Amino acid sequence: MNSTLAERLRAIVGAGHVVTDPDVLAGRSTDYTGRYRGRASALVRPGSADEVAEVLRECRGAGVCVTVQGGRTSLVAGTVPEHDDVLLSTERLTEIGEVDALERRIRVGAGVTAAAVQRAAGTAGLVFGVDLAARDSATVGGMAATNAGGLRTVRYGNMGEQVIGLDVALPDGSVVHRHSHVRADNTGYDLASLFVGAEGTLGVITGLDLRLHPAPTHRVTAVCGFDDLDALVATGRTLRDTESIAALELVDGRAAALAAEHLDVPVPTRGDWLLLIELAGETDLTERLADALEGAELSGEPAVGVDNTAQQRLWQVRESTAEVVGLFGPPLKFDVSLPLSAIRAFSSAAAALLLDHAPDAIGVLFGHIGEGNLHLNVLRCNAEQEAHLYAAMMKLIAAHGGNVSSEHGVGSRKRAYLQMSRQDTDIAAMRTIKAAFDPTGYLNPAVLFD
């Protein structure tokens, strides 16, 4: 980045918010897993939507690429720069508005974390519908950009279903404010939906109106063990259509064993596969849970929690997987969506594939079984093995009717496999939209497309 552009950026955001220190840039050019590294020329931290727009305008005019960063929890190298980019961080966009308890909504900046939105909603007796393990660092702007799902998707849906308004700085330096105070508004194009899931390729989300939900008064949580994955999937298929379902999570028994050994998280019941179930509603749901599990092929008695302490203890079994998969160094991650009928066959085939390409690796499968949205994490896989394994695994996912990206986005890591889930005409249409918003292709240029 030339000195003239640096001076103009400092004039927009303040000298203290333009960073060119090589050590800082190196740290900000490495992805969440530590596997993928890029290079950047500067880090810029705007403090408002207008400042974001001015930064974009200057960078576009100078012919400098921009990579957008939020909480940097991307698992597909979605925030890794490849062209000596300017890193545009939304970390200062942290304003949290008052909760509108009557309309059950809140307006927040794109840099606000999921945990902060959850706390704000909780003070008003409401619930934010998206929860994920990285809640303390993942920002709602990034979550909208990737249409994140998470632990409560089976009840509330993905991030896109929580977004009811957006502020977006476009690549030309203009700002779109798309908000409505009415629930039924079909005036023109649904622009908000266009930016949700676009991974920052069409504009920078700077603010959001988010839908909130009533907080259930009763919860019951259980962890059930299964020796047969098909039996678990069958139980999950039944439970996902239960009116009171709040969470439905698959946990690999190997991950639970590692958590017990290294993190002192007890395994609550035996089984090669564990299913965490949570029901939530306005009445005691213990009997409904028992009825739902009647006839299920369990490997032992389920562990059931009806009070908050017991429920948190059971949730540790699921949430500890995020820490477990890092015990052997940065894991190789595959975020996939599969038909429920294909999960067991995929699991077996993936294990065989690992044996061929990385015999010392450990494959850990977990995720949101209600949607077939699973995370395969490969532990102890080195860079040489990854080079051959990644393409083979993506082909295996496609062969089982899966989608190459479920909730983490395509980023730069999966862009070469986009055609596995989208036809040529689909990709051409997406490129047309990208060209209309960003003719020079300077915004998030490494993401989504080759």
Side-chain angles (χ1 to χ4, degrees):
M1 183 178 67
N2 62 55
S3 58
T4 303
L5 176 58
E7 290 173 4
R8 291 201 296 268
L9 295 179
R10 292 187 183 100
I12 295 169
V13 303
H17 298 299
V18 177
V19 181
T20 57
D21 180 274
D23 292 334
V24 174
L25 295 180
R28 297 294 291 252
S29 300
T30 303
D31 86 312
Y32 184 71
T33 69
R35 282 184 171 268
Y36 312 115
R37 299 176 183 274
R39 60 187 189 274
S41 58
L43 167 66
V44 182
R45 300 180 294 195
S48 69
D50 288 340
E51 288 187 2
V52 172
E54 288 187 62
V55 168
L56 292 180
R57 194 179 303 118
E58 291 292 347
C59 290
R60 183 188 190 189
V64 174
C65 294
V66 172
T67 290
V68 186
Q69 295 189 336
R72 298 191 300 121
T73 56
S74 170
L75 301 177
V76 289
T79 61
V80 176
E82 292 187 358
H83 306 88
D84 285 325
D85 304 18
V86 167
L87 303 176
L88 192 159
S89 172
T90 62
E91 63 194 86
R92 293 178 62 210
L93 306 178
T94 55
E95 182 178 357
I96 300 178
E98 293 292 327
V99 174
D100 184 340
L102 185 63
E103 294 295 331
R104 297 201 293 268
R105 61 195 292 167
I106 185 172
R107 185 171 294 189
V108 298
V112 174
T113 64
V117 177
Q118 291 168 354
R119 288 192 295 269
T123 61
L126 299 171
V127 171
F128 176 48
V130 179
D131 190 23
L132 59 174
R135 63 182 69 87
D136 291 314
S137 52
T139 62
V140 290
M143 291 162 59
T146 58
N147 197 17
L151 304 169
R152 307 289 181 184
T153 308
V154 70
R155 185 180 183 92
Y156 299 113
N158 279 35
M159 186 67 181
E161 295 175 65
Q162 321 309 318
V163 175
I164 51 180
L166 285 178
D167 297 316
V168 183
L170 299 181
D172 65 0
S174 60
V175 180
V176 170
H177 303 280
R178 187 61 181 263
H179 300 276
S180 179
H181 293 286
V182 296
R183 295 193 174 219
D185 186 351
N186 296 315
T187 310
Y189 298 140
D190 186 358
L191 288 180
S193 295
L194 185 61
F195 295 101
V196 172
E199 300 187 50
T201 58
L202 303 180
V204 181
I205 296 173
T206 61
L208 308 91
D209 274 354
L210 297 174
R211 177 178 285 112
L212 304 178
H213 305 271
T217 56
H218 292 77
R219 292 184 185 274
V220 59
T221 307
V223 173
C224 304
F226 295 81
D227 291 325
D228 180 69
L229 186 53
D230 273 338
L232 183 150
V233 170
T235 302
R237 183 182 286 109
T238 299
L239 282 162
R240 71 176 178 176
D241 297 324
T242 300
E243 180 182 356
S244 303
I245 194 68
L248 200 56
E249 295 291 305
L250 167 71
V251 180
D252 195 321
R254 288 167 294 187
L258 288 171
E261 179 183 355
H262 296 280
L263 306 177
D264 198 27
V265 176
V267 180
T269 187
R270 67 179 183 85
D272 293 334
W273 302 94
L274 304 180
L275 179 65
L276 184 146
I277 305 160
E278 187 164 278
L279 303 183
E282 301 308 308
T283 60
D284 186 349
L285 297 162
T286 308
E287 288 189 13
R288 183 176 295 182
L289 175 64
D291 291 343
L293 292 176
E294 187 175 357
E297 299 177 27
L298 306 181
S299 58
E301 287 296 317
V304 180
V306 294
D307 62 79
N308 188 58
T309 301
Q311 290 166 1
Q312 288 182 344
R313 187 164 56 248
L314 294 178
W315 268 104
Q316 282 185 325
V317 177
R318 169 61 177 88
E319 296 205 333
S320 65
T321 54
E323 188 173 352
V324 161
V325 297
L327 291 175
F328 302 95
L332 179 59
K333 293 177 174 286
F334 297 93
D335 162 52
V336 303
S337 184
L338 291 161
L340 295 189
S341 58
I343 289 176
R344 185 203 57 77
F346 169 77
S347 175
S348 299
L353 196 65
L354 288 182
L355 196 61
D356 287 341
H357 290 274
D360 294 327
I362 302 172
V364 173
L365 188 66
F366 61 94
H368 321 307
I369 195 70
E371 301 79 53
N373 176 6
L374 302 180
H375 310 301
L376 175 61
N377 282 238
V378 181
L379 319 184
R380 297 196 308 209
C381 178
N382 61 44
E384 183 179 348
Q385 292 169 329
E386 175 184 346
H388 301 286
L389 176 62
Y390 206 94
M393 188 65 73
M394 298 304 281
K395 290 179 182 177
L396 183 66
I397 293 164
H400 284 81
N403 195 324
V404 300
S405 173
S406 183
E407 63 172 342
H408 293 158
V410 173
S412 62
R413 188 63 185 90
K414 293 185 176 181
R415 64 192 181 197
Y417 307 101
L418 186 61
Q419 73 278 5
M420 288 185 176
S421 296
R422 292 290 181 266
Q423 295 180 351
D424 290 345
T425 50
D426 294 332
I427 297 172
M430 288 192 287
R431 287 186 180 276
T432 299
I433 295 170
K434 168 67 172 175
F437 279 91
D438 181 17
T440 65
Y442 82 100
L443 183 59
N444 272 18
V447 172
L448 199 57
F449 303 112
D450 279 325

